[in-house]
Amino acid sequence: MPNRPSASAAQARLVPGATDAAPGQDGWQTDAMDERTFDRSGQHASVIGLGTWQLGADWGDVDDKQALAVLEAAAESGVTFFDTADVYGDGRSEQTIASFLSGRPDLHVLVATKMGRRVDQIPENYVLDNFRAWNDRSRRNLGVDRVDLVQLHCPPTPVYSTDEVFDALDTLVAEERIAAYGVSVETCAEALTAIARPNVASVQIILNPFRMKPLREVLPAARAAGVGVIARVPLASGLLSGRYTKDTVFPENDHRTFNRHGESFDQGETFSGVDYTTGVEAAAEFAALAPEGYTPAQLALRWIVRQPGVTTVIPGARSPEQARANAHAARLPELSEQTLAAIDDLYERRIKEQVEGRW
Ligand SMILES: NC(=O)c1ccc[n+]([C@@H]2O[C@H](COP(=O)([O-])OP(=O)(O)OC[C@H]3O[C@@H](n4cnc5c(N)ncnc54)[C@H](OP(=O)(O)O)[C@@H]3O)[C@@H](O)[C@H]2O)c1
């Protein structure tokens, strides 16, 4: 995967008071991050991006001021890739991004949205007329004529094998409604089917120290085909921060309360599909592996960034502090062989059996 040099000066935000970059000539500081390329579309993304499901709904309450502060903190820390969806807060996440970027014409952020989960999950809904209507709504929410990257949002499995679906997506590109398209998938098998389509620019998949199967089954194929990989749920919904205990109570309107067993959507989206008790115990072991200078969350992110074939990793953040700490992981030193081996061993012992058969 080509690793762009640091983002250009034009892409670096001037940040008053940032602490982890050298002062600029005028006393302000820049905080650029390495970018990687989506080979098929030629688009670029910071190696650590930002997931913005939290700015919509399903993670307890995040008010508008806090949501804008998260976007600001990420952008000022060098993040140039935001992942959103038309369904996050039923458009609130897209609208918040639009509101933030409209006040920041100097920023160059690649915005990837998703479509398809505001209707019944049947293959018959994945047709050109619906795509146009969904895209019209996202363009309005995002305040753009053309969406940078649109992803099918974990559609029913047969959708990946339907030629007409990809013809319709090509039509959206030809109509200049979108610059490029990709898919967000649940399983490795779905990822491989999508990668075989010639114009799929990106595959978004769960990848983290508790979800390793894509390392073997998806990343090599994506690299060979020039398809970008967007690694989602990188902190296993926060588990890998090592902050939760068996007694942690999440808000009622948080999927970590209401989707623990897949009651509302795929179980794999909550704690990576790992049973909570096992997850908390394994996360405590994981946290103990964090080298000096790393938080456990940063260890997880650094581990993902170093996997060949990953284009960008998109941690969700509920506070500016989290967004900043996550971006900083891109600048931490390489992990030792010993730490890497211990992470592999933890996965083999505690996690693999729970997740590999299903996703
Ligand atoms: N089907 C799909 O396409 C799909 C599904 C899921 C997610 N996504 C995308 O992927 C993004 C990331 O996944 P995710 O948000 O589900 O899970 P995640 O990134 O694994 O976990 C996010 C949670 O981790 C905790 N966290 C974040 N930064 C932290 C830090 N620096 N220190 C300690 N804890 C930290 C926060 O938990 P607290 O809330 O406890 O503070 C936060 O809510 C989403 O925002 C969304 O854009 C897409």
Side-chain angles (χ1 to χ4, degrees):
M1 179 68 53
N3 203 353
R4 271 185 124 203
S6 293
S8 67
Q11 285 171 313
R13 174 93 190 115
L14 293 173
V15 188
T19 53
D20 57 353
Q25 278 181 335
D26 56 2
W28 289 56
Q29 296 171 333
T30 59
D31 210 0
M33 194 190 298
D34 277 357
E35 293 192 319
R36 293 178 185 167
T37 307
F38 292 92
D39 286 350
R40 285 188 178 176
S41 66
Q43 294 168 314
H44 311 293
S46 50
V47 294
I48 292 185
L50 178 73
T52 66
W53 184 11
Q54 281 75 1
L55 314 189
D58 300 328
W59 292 83
D61 298 323
V62 177
D63 67 27
D64 289 347
K65 200 171 153 211
Q66 176 103 337
L68 287 167
V70 167
L71 296 174
E72 171 113 28
E76 289 186 343
S77 304
V79 167
T80 62
F81 183 79
F82 291 166
D83 177 76
T84 183
D86 58 3
V87 75
Y88 294 165
D90 204 25
R92 179 177 175 232
S93 174
E94 289 183 330
Q95 289 162 3
T96 306
I97 288 171
S99 157
F100 171 68
L101 290 178
S102 69
R104 297 305 184 90
D106 54 321
L107 291 177
H108 299 276
V109 176
L110 186 72
V111 179
T113 192
K114 312 188 199 76
M115 63 180 187
R117 293 198 74 90
R118 298 181 66 252
V119 295
D120 290 343
Q121 292 302 291
I122 50 172
E124 292 74 16
N125 274 329
Y126 288 76
V127 293
L128 180 58
D129 280 352
N130 281 345
F131 287 0
R132 285 189 176 123
W134 301 341
N135 172 258
D136 284 344
R137 183 173 177 278
S138 280
R139 290 188 302 152
R140 272 198 307 276
N141 282 341
L142 288 167
V144 296
D145 293 331
R146 188 166 65 160
V147 171
D148 295 336
L149 176 66
V150 75
Q151 305 156 93
L152 296 182
H153 199 165
C154 297
T157 303
V159 166
Y160 297 101
S161 310
T162 306
D163 291 346
E164 291 75 13
V165 167
F166 293 88
D167 292 346
L169 290 167
D170 287 335
T171 300
L172 297 192
V173 174
E175 292 175 349
E176 300 190 356
R177 293 163 159 275
I178 60 174
Y181 64 82
V183 293
S184 183
V185 303
E186 298 292 3
T187 67
C188 292
E190 289 171 345
L192 293 176
T193 309
I195 287 167
R197 297 273 167 188
N199 299 328
V200 166
S202 63
V203 167
Q204 183 178 136
I205 191 162
I206 299 180
L207 174 66
N208 63 47
F210 286 179
R211 187 70 82 86
M212 293 202 190
K213 191 166 153 188
L215 297 184
R216 298 185 306 277
E217 300 215 352
V218 176
L219 267 54
R223 276 181 95 192
V227 173
V229 171
I230 300 167
R232 79 165 180 270
V233 195
L235 303 177
S237 312
L239 256 186
L240 288 163
S241 71
R243 289 179 302 134
Y244 310 148
T245 69
K246 283 177 195 160
D247 302 322
T248 301
V249 176
F250 297 92
E252 243 175 71
N253 58 348
D254 187 314
H255 72 102
R256 293 169 293 185
T257 297
F258 68 74
N259 194 54
R260 239 176 233 205
H261 307 288
E263 296 90 334
S264 294
F265 41 82
D266 194 281
Q267 189 177 343
E269 305 297 351
T270 302
F271 301 127
S272 259
V274 177
D275 149 72
Y276 186 68
T277 305
T278 309
V280 166
E281 288 170 3
E285 280 191 52
F286 179 79
L289 301 176
E292 205 182 323
Y294 283 76
T295 65
Q298 288 169 331
L299 171 60
L301 297 174
R302 197 75 195 83
W303 179 89
I304 298 168
V305 162
R306 72 179 303 285
Q307 304 300 337
V310 168
T311 309
T312 183
V313 48
I314 51 167
R318 289 208 316 148
S319 69
E321 293 74 26
Q322 287 183 351
R324 273 187 218 106
N326 293 341
H328 186 66
R331 303 178 181 95
L332 289 171
E334 180 52 288
L335 300 169
S336 69
E337 289 302 323
Q338 194 187 358
T339 302
L340 296 171
I343 293 173
D344 285 345
D345 173 64
L346 174 60
Y347 177 76
E348 291 287 329
R349 276 189 295 109
R350 312 263 342 207
I351 305 291
K352 183 175 180 178
E353 198 183 344
Q354 278 205 13
V355 296
E356 291 234 347
R358 187 153 171 194
W359 296 282

